[in-house]
Amino acid sequence: MNDQKIIPFLSFTGNAEEALNFYVSVVPRAKITSLVRYEKGQPHGNEGKVLNGTLSLLGQQFMDMPSANPAPDFSWATSFFMHCQSEAEFDAVFSGLAKEGSVMMGPEAVMQFRKVSE
C-alpha cells in the first residue's frame, strides 16, 4: 500500500475479484495490488473467495469488498476524475466502463485545474 491517508472503499454486490479484474481490463496501467481470501473455517465467507482487495488506478489506491447484502448502487454524487494521456485513451476507458455499467453523466468538459496559492 502507498502513503495515501484516504483510500476510497468500493463495495460490490457479488464477486469482488470479478470487479477488480474488470477495472484492470478497462483502465490502462491498473493493477491489483493485494487480495485477501477467506481461509478454511473463517466466518462470513466461502474458502478461497475474496474478502477484500486493493486496486491501483494510476497510482491511486482503492479498496474493494464484496457485500453479502445488496450494496447500494453507485451514483454520480461520488465520482472519480481521471487524467488521460490522450483523447483515444479517454474514449477507450469511457466506452469500456459504459459497456458494463450505466452512464449517469456523459463526457463533460472540465475546466483546467489551477493551483490555489498557499
Side-chain angles (χ1 to χ4, degrees):
M1 200 123 355
N2 66 16
D3 292 333
Q4 282 177 221
K5 301 292 185 212
I6 298 173
I7 298 174
F9 198 101
L10 308 172
S11 293
F12 296 92
T13 302
N15 190 334
E17 188 167 15
E18 184 179 303
L20 289 167
N21 286 321
F22 170 71
Y23 283 108
V24 167
S25 74
V26 173
V27 179
R29 301 169 302 284
K31 62 183 175 186
I32 298 169
T33 56
S34 74
L35 281 177
V36 177
R37 297 184 184 278
Y38 284 101
E39 296 177 4
K40 186 175 182 179
Q42 208 172 356
H44 309 296
N46 297 327
E47 181 181 357
K49 284 295 221 176
V50 170
L51 170 63
N52 63 59
T54 307
L55 177 69
S56 175
L57 299 174
L58 302 173
Q60 170 72 44
Q61 297 293 309
F62 292 85
M63 286 195 74
D64 101 334
M65 185 170 149
S67 176
N69 300 313
D73 290 337
F74 291 109
S75 78
W76 62 268
T78 301
S79 55
F80 302 102
F81 178 86
M82 182 177 124
H83 283 281
C84 292
Q85 293 182 346
S86 66
E87 192 74 28
E89 181 181 71
F90 171 83
D91 291 342
V93 171
F94 186 85
S95 66
L97 293 171
K99 179 180 175 186
E100 296 293 326
S102 59
V103 177
M104 293 176 236
M105 187 170 94
E108 300 288 335
V110 176
M111 296 168 59
Q112 293 292 78
F113 290 106
R114 294 192 181 109
K115 289 188 177 186
V116 176
S117 56
E118 295 179 23

